[in-house]
Amino acid sequence: MRMLLRIAPITVAVALALAGCGSGSTPEAAPTDVPSKTPSKAAEPKPAESGTPPPKRADADLVIWADGNRAPVLEKFGKQFGDENGLRVAVQTLDFAQLRPSFVQSAPVGQGPDLIVGPHDVLGEYVENGLVDTVDLGADAANYSDVAVKAFTYQGKIYGLPYAVEDVALITNTALVPKVPTTFEQLEKTALELKKQGKAEIPLALPMGETGNAYHPYALFSGSGGYVFGDKAGEPNVDDLGIDSPGGIKAAQNFAKWAKEGLISVDVTADIAKQKFVAGKVPFLIDGPWVVADLAKASSSYEVSPIPSVNGKPARPFVGVQGFYLSHFAQNKTLARTFLLDYLNTKEAQQALFEADFRPSAYQAVAGAVTDKVNAGFLASAQQGVPTPSVPQMASVWEAWNKAYVLVLTGEAAPDKAFKDAAATIRAAIKASR
């Protein structure tokens, strides 16, 4: 057990913690089922976000905050860690939606956890507000998928330990479509033909709704040539917004065309998409692993695969990554870091986390051993995706872009104008936030 190599520093760290020297230091610097879409840019207290006051930090040497899905696994490995080292480990269970606002409010005043589970798209907010510390994975970084490590990297440094990826993929009703299309043009033709024959109520179920949704369509947006932020030395370049780039405008025009011909509709919400697919009335659904439990009720078989290319260009979905953050305000950082690196950063723990939560594993040895075709399909889609930008400026993107999709799909605005107006709004919001 690698833990033996770190037992000496832990002993010292525990002594420091007991002496009251391990907390209150000055900062150095998100299946929910659906990935967090609108991370807040400010680290100010926001208890109203969840409607529940933050919990009081448990009285223990190591405190971990997690939601109900991950808590049982953490309790198991936390008990092992505590038993082997004579330590008290507490895993506090919070609603997923409560984790971020509670952490933001509690950590700086010494009432937060030492470790917390969460999505990568809050990373920028956490770093910019000095809430989390870097984690040196060393050579172990190679054990994780590239997209997972990249997602937990901010300004060239790795913050946290990834464990799972999540993204949307193409879910094909193989009773209606025995052979999964390899291009979006094939999908479009097949879906519209099935509608014409009366075999499909919704040709392509792309969750949208009256408030819009820029997350699920991103693969088709990127396949049309669009991008949200340009790249600058491997980091999102917030000064290069691509929503109204030539590729972005082409994407808007494609969405307008697909809506006009009846392929997609603003009236299709996530619930409608799922329900109609389960009822066998939808040949194609674009959604994530958080719908799999419901798809078990489907009247026909289905297959999960990467979203096919658009006019020969790869369709790259947004990829969300789940992982564990080390609080900058941890009361015993050495203890927390050792549990993170020596107990959770193992194949055994990563396998247990995968089995407790259907999301595809970020740990390559676990992902590579998966035989479940549904999970493998989502993983294959993630491998061609890009991490959702974790910069705080993404908070300025979603609302305006969501609305632009509604305007395009309803025909209330020309596609070029809708996306250009959204881009102007986003640029103004980013400028105002500086």
Side-chain angles (χ1 to χ4, degrees):
M1 172 61 73
R2 298 162 59 192
M3 176 63 191
L4 295 175
L5 301 176
R6 303 183 188 227
I7 192 67
I10 283 180
T11 303
V12 172
V14 170
L16 289 173
L18 293 174
C21 300
S23 64
S25 56
T26 303
E28 295 171 353
T32 65
D33 292 335
V34 181
S36 175
K37 299 176 183 177
T38 54
S40 170
K41 65 183 178 62
E44 55 193 16
K46 295 180 179 178
E49 288 186 27
S50 65
T52 305
K56 182 180 179 182
R57 175 188 165 93
D59 181 18
D61 300 313
L62 176 66
V63 175
I64 306 167
W65 282 4
D67 64 299
N69 285 346
R70 280 65 75 92
V73 176
L74 297 172
E75 287 170 352
K76 173 187 173 182
F77 286 91
K79 184 178 186 305
Q80 179 187 354
F81 182 58
D83 290 347
E84 291 179 356
N85 297 283
L87 301 168
R88 296 172 300 152
V89 178
V91 179
Q92 292 181 271
T93 303
L94 285 72
D95 288 341
F96 186 88
Q98 190 187 359
L99 284 167
R100 188 195 67 80
S102 294
F103 179 60
V104 167
Q105 182 174 5
S106 301
V109 296
Q111 286 301 312
D114 304 303
L115 298 171
I116 183 171
V117 70
H120 87 276
D121 63 0
V122 296
L123 173 58
E125 174 193 5
Y126 285 175
V127 174
E128 294 295 337
N129 291 288
L131 295 174
V132 294
D133 275 2
T134 57
V135 174
D136 183 6
L137 295 180
D140 287 348
N143 293 331
Y144 297 86
S145 62
D146 290 342
V147 70
V149 174
K150 186 175 181 180
F152 268 84
T153 300
Y154 192 80
Q155 296 178 344
K157 299 177 181 177
I158 298 175
Y159 292 82
L161 179 76
Y163 86 87
V165 298
E166 54 190 2
D167 65 314
V168 300
L170 178 67
I171 305 172
T172 302
N173 179 338
T174 50
L176 292 174
V177 187
K179 186 177 181 180
V180 175
T182 57
T183 71
F184 192 77
E185 292 70 40
Q186 292 175 0
L187 181 156
E188 181 182 8
K189 181 179 179 181
T190 300
L192 292 174
E193 182 62 26
L194 287 168
K195 181 184 179 184
K196 184 178 179 181
Q197 295 171 2
K199 296 180 180 179
E201 287 187 20
I202 302 173
L204 171 59
L206 179 67
M208 187 60 60
E210 62 181 12
T211 58
N213 177 2
Y215 173 78
H216 280 74
Y218 189 77
L220 302 179
F221 175 80
S222 66
S224 298
Y227 59 93
V228 59
F229 290 129
D231 182 271
K232 186 176 183 180
E235 300 286 339
N237 181 4
V238 299
D239 293 321
D240 179 14
L241 183 68
I243 290 174
D244 59 347
S245 65
I249 295 301
K250 176 61 179 176
Q253 294 168 345
N254 282 343
F255 282 106
K257 167 182 173 289
W258 295 329
K260 187 175 182 179
E261 66 188 15
L263 181 68
I264 58 176
S265 170
V266 74
D267 295 329
V268 177
T269 65
D271 284 342
I272 290 173
K274 186 170 56 184
Q275 292 165 5
K276 292 296 183 181
F277 188 90
V278 168
K281 304 298 184 181
V282 174
F284 300 109
L285 166 66
I286 291 179
D287 219 324
W290 45 86
V291 302
V292 168
D294 292 297
L295 297 191
K297 308 168 189 171
S299 57
S300 53
S301 59
Y302 66 90
E303 184 172 333
V304 178
S305 59
I307 297 170
S309 60
V310 180
N311 290 323
K313 295 181 180 178
R316 303 187 187 281
F318 275 143
V319 178
V321 180
Q322 294 281 328
F324 301 93
Y325 291 100
L326 170 63
S327 172
H328 178 77
F329 300 93
Q331 294 193 8
N332 192 317
K333 290 185 183 179
T334 300
L335 199 65
R337 200 182 298 276
T338 301
F339 178 69
L340 194 66
L341 294 177
D342 287 358
Y343 282 74
L344 297 185
N345 178 34
T346 64
K347 183 179 179 181
E348 181 185 7
Q350 295 286 332
Q351 180 69 38
L353 287 163
F354 167 69
E355 292 173 358
D357 191 16
F358 187 76
R359 295 177 176 92
S361 178
Y363 198 79
Q364 300 202 73
V366 174
V370 169
T371 56
D372 179 278
K373 291 184 178 179
V374 172
N375 195 283
F378 283 114
L379 183 62
S381 181
Q383 288 172 339
Q384 72 177 31
V386 294
T388 308
S390 61
V391 290
Q393 289 80 2
M394 273 301 287
S396 301
V397 170
W398 294 113
E399 184 176 357
W401 202 11
N402 289 344
K403 290 180 179 176
Y405 272 97
V406 173
L407 295 174
V408 170
L409 267 60
T410 58
E412 294 180 48
D416 304 41
K417 177 174 171 40
F419 273 42
K420 286 181 179 178
D421 286 351
T425 299
I426 294 166
R427 289 192 179 96
I430 291 175
K431 183 179 180 181
S433 69
R434 289 174 167 166

